[in-house]
Amino acid sequence: MTSRFTIATLAATAVLTALTVASPADAAAKQANHAHPVEATAPRDAGEPIMAIVSIKSQQVTIYDADGWILRAPVSTGIKGRETPAGVFAVVEKDKDHHSNLYDDAWMPNMERITWSGIALHGGPLPGYAASHGCIRMPYDFAENLFGKTQIGMRVIIAPNDAEPVAFSDPKLFVPNADALAAAPARAETLARAAAEAAKTADEAKFGATAAAREAAAAPAAVRKLEALKTRTDAELVFAEKMLAAAKTDQDKARAEDLQQKASAKAADLGTQLEAVKADAKTKLDAAAAAKDALKAAEAKRTKTAAAARDAKLALEPVSVFISRATKKLYVRRGFASTIEIPIAIRDPDKPIGTHVFTAVARADSGLRWTAVTIDTGDDAKDALDRIAIPQDVLDRIAPTAAPHSSIIISDEPPNREQNYRTEFVVVLNNQPQGGLAIRKPASDMVARGNDWGGYGYGNNYGYGDARQYGSPYGGASYYYPRW
């Protein structure tokens, strides 16, 4: 097993190294970088990783838990023309043994994807300078260790320069409500049952409406058939009456009277049947209309209860808020699901605000303990937050159940094209090179394979579920990517 691993590692190193041709600018950057980062582990018990910060300048990744850094390692980011994009991302998929189908089946072990088009953290060769095609290569053993600790949704911040989270407090940050937090699980369970029952009722109503519509559709044919028979019998009766009036002999008269009596009885009987069939048809048509109305009401209730159940379940997830100066909008996501998008006022909207990530790292006596990371020029973190006024109705919806790992991103940038229904917020700094992102097709090229989720992908009858539970043993879905 060790031999196989060594051979695979050497092969992957050869392939990825061969792909890298350092430009003069890259070589100059390499020569200028005298202090190479080294792997390190904090001398304390580590908690769950909350964020990873990659410094392109220092070619280093640092992993943080609620109390500070826990792991550090050198990295190799993208070469000139294929630069690793600076910005704010999150882990969207994990693959223990990934192979590239864009770069000659190159081995990318312990891959943690941060864009669906192919930017990821993974194990790889580290020459001591930027050398990848956009990904963030880490030492093989470090990548393996990290892979076993991280979760889907962990924040990944790629900074042009060195950055680190600093303790931060401000009255504008979310303060959860203890009663709302305590009631949230039971509320989610109750609304889930209500949604399931509403879905069952809607399915039954659909079956009933279909059956009623089928019967109602057949009723007019029965009416038309009897109407045709009645018309023919009425004509026979008229003919018999004419024969009776024209009869010259007793024998002709008797024959005509017999025909008249039979036609008259038949016409009367058909008239009775026709009235009954018309009444039955009306009953069936009324029943079909009532069933249609019941179905409409049941579907409306299904939609309403599903939305309520979805929101209640998402309320158990950390809340993420993104405020963009470019679009002048506030966006809210929970569990990768978009829940709110509204216009928002930003003081001095023409003045740069920078890019800042505020993260709730742990519970505290007053509610939550926060940190702030700034990765772009503009205001400092406090001044940026002061320029924002989150509407009270939005705060009322999201703050009471805000939990650790909740975050607020404030940026000059708009949402990036990589952001979709299966990502956290993706914010890319447009004043930094993005070659590694530009060479990849947008995430819309992703082709799903082998899942039965539908829509957002929660995998149940009423459209919601746990966004962190995907199809692979490591939290990733089974997807095929034509370009990476």
Side-chain angles (χ1 to χ4, degrees):
M1 183 67 185
T2 302
S3 177
R4 286 180 57 197
F5 178 83
T6 302
I7 293 170
T9 302
L10 290 173
T13 302
V15 170
L16 289 175
T17 303
L19 287 170
T20 303
V21 179
S23 68
D26 295 321
K30 177 180 70 171
Q31 293 297 325
N33 185 13
H34 299 295
H36 295 300
V38 296
E39 285 190 52
T41 301
R44 61 178 177 83
D45 292 335
E48 179 186 359
I50 292 177
M51 73 178 75
I53 300 181
V54 176
S55 169
I56 295 176
K57 176 183 177 181
S58 296
Q59 292 291 285
Q60 177 175 267
V61 61
T62 306
I63 313 301
Y64 295 88
D65 68 3
D67 297 317
W69 76 273
I70 53 176
L71 297 168
R72 282 199 179 108
V75 299
S76 186
T77 59
I79 61 173
K80 184 174 177 61
R82 301 195 178 198
E83 298 89 352
T84 301
V88 183
F89 307 86
V91 175
V92 295
E93 186 198 42
K94 299 173 67 176
D95 187 352
K96 185 72 175 172
D97 188 28
H98 186 76
H99 289 260
S100 171
N101 60 12
L102 180 60
Y103 297 122
D104 299 323
D105 201 38
W107 187 40
M108 298 177 175
N110 298 295
M111 184 273 290
E112 302 195 40
R113 186 188 300 276
I114 62 173
T115 74
W116 285 116
S117 67
I119 304 295
L121 296 88
H122 62 80
L126 303 181
Y129 50 88
S132 81
H133 280 63
C135 285
I136 300 142
R137 297 185 201 162
M138 303 178 291
Y140 287 104
D141 57 346
F142 181 88
E144 183 175 15
N145 181 31
L146 182 63
F147 189 91
K149 300 178 183 298
T150 58
Q151 299 290 330
I152 298 292
M154 183 190 75
R155 178 76 68 205
V156 177
I157 299 172
I158 303 175
N161 300 300
D162 297 336
E164 62 180 357
V166 295
F168 189 88
S169 62
D170 192 282
K172 288 191 173 183
L173 297 173
F174 307 141
V175 178
N177 180 282
D179 292 339
L181 283 171
R187 182 172 182 271
E189 185 178 346
T190 298
L191 289 174
R193 287 197 300 268
E197 186 62 32
K200 180 181 177 182
T201 300
D203 289 340
E204 292 172 349
K206 184 177 182 179
F207 179 82
T210 300
R214 189 182 301 116
E215 290 188 4
V223 172
R224 289 193 298 271
K225 181 179 179 180
L226 281 173
E227 285 178 337
L229 288 173
K230 180 68 166 56
T231 299
R232 188 183 309 154
T233 302
D234 288 344
E236 290 174 357
L237 179 59
V238 171
F239 177 75
E241 289 173 345
K242 288 182 178 179
M243 286 184 60
L244 181 60
K248 302 297 184 182
T249 65
D250 290 343
Q251 185 178 5
D252 289 342
K253 185 176 180 180
R255 187 182 301 111
E257 286 177 345
D258 181 59
L259 289 173
Q260 181 192 40
Q261 290 174 1
K262 290 179 178 179
S264 179
K266 186 177 180 181
D269 181 56
L270 287 172
T272 301
Q273 291 184 49
L274 182 59
E275 290 304 314
V277 169
K278 284 183 176 180
D280 182 63
K282 184 178 184 306
T283 299
K284 290 178 177 177
L285 288 170
D286 290 344
K292 185 177 179 180
D293 290 342
L295 174 59
K296 185 176 180 180
E299 289 289 0
K301 186 174 182 180
R302 185 214 294 260
T303 300
K304 183 178 180 180
T305 56
R310 172 181 177 271
D311 288 346
K313 187 167 183 65
L314 290 177
L316 304 177
E317 295 282 340
V319 58
S320 294
V321 174
F322 173 38
I323 298 166
S324 167
R325 188 177 69 87
T327 63
K328 296 179 176 60
K329 285 187 176 181
L330 177 148
Y331 309 84
V332 178
R333 289 195 167 204
R334 276 189 131 145
F336 288 5
S338 177
T339 59
I340 299 174
E341 179 179 331
I342 61 167
I344 189 170
I346 300 176
R347 193 175 73 247
D348 300 326
D350 296 327
K351 175 186 173 185
I353 201 168
T355 296
H356 314 271
V357 183
F358 305 89
T359 306
V361 295
R363 299 192 189 280
D365 292 340
S366 59
L368 294 169
R369 179 158 56 85
W370 292 79
T371 65
V373 178
T374 296
I375 63 169
D376 195 18
T377 57
D379 287 335
D380 62 25
K382 179 170 177 50
D383 289 342
L385 197 59
D386 285 344
R387 288 172 60 185
I388 304 300
I390 299 178
Q392 188 60 46
D393 62 327
V394 174
L395 285 173
D396 291 343
R397 287 179 61 181
I398 64 179
T401 56
H405 297 210
S406 293
S407 62
I408 301 173
I409 303 169
I410 300 175
S411 180
D412 294 306
E413 308 296 346
N416 188 260
R417 67 175 190 176
E418 292 288 342
Q419 184 174 303
N420 62 35
Y421 74 102
R422 289 197 64 239
T423 70
E424 241 273 13
F425 292 117
V426 178
V427 182
V428 176
L429 303 189
N430 285 305
N431 59 5
Q432 298 295 320
Q434 304 173 22
L437 197 60
I439 64 171
R440 291 167 166 82
K441 286 187 177 179
S444 59
D445 288 351
M446 180 182 68
V447 179
R449 171 178 76 182
N451 77 58
D452 57 359
W453 296 344
Y456 175 65
Y458 284 101
N460 58 35
N461 291 332
Y462 38 90
Y464 78 90
D466 190 345
R468 292 176 182 263
Q469 298 193 0
Y470 297 91
S472 88
Y474 305 104
S478 175
Y479 272 74
Y480 170 66
Y481 304 90
R483 288 186 51 82
W484 187 75

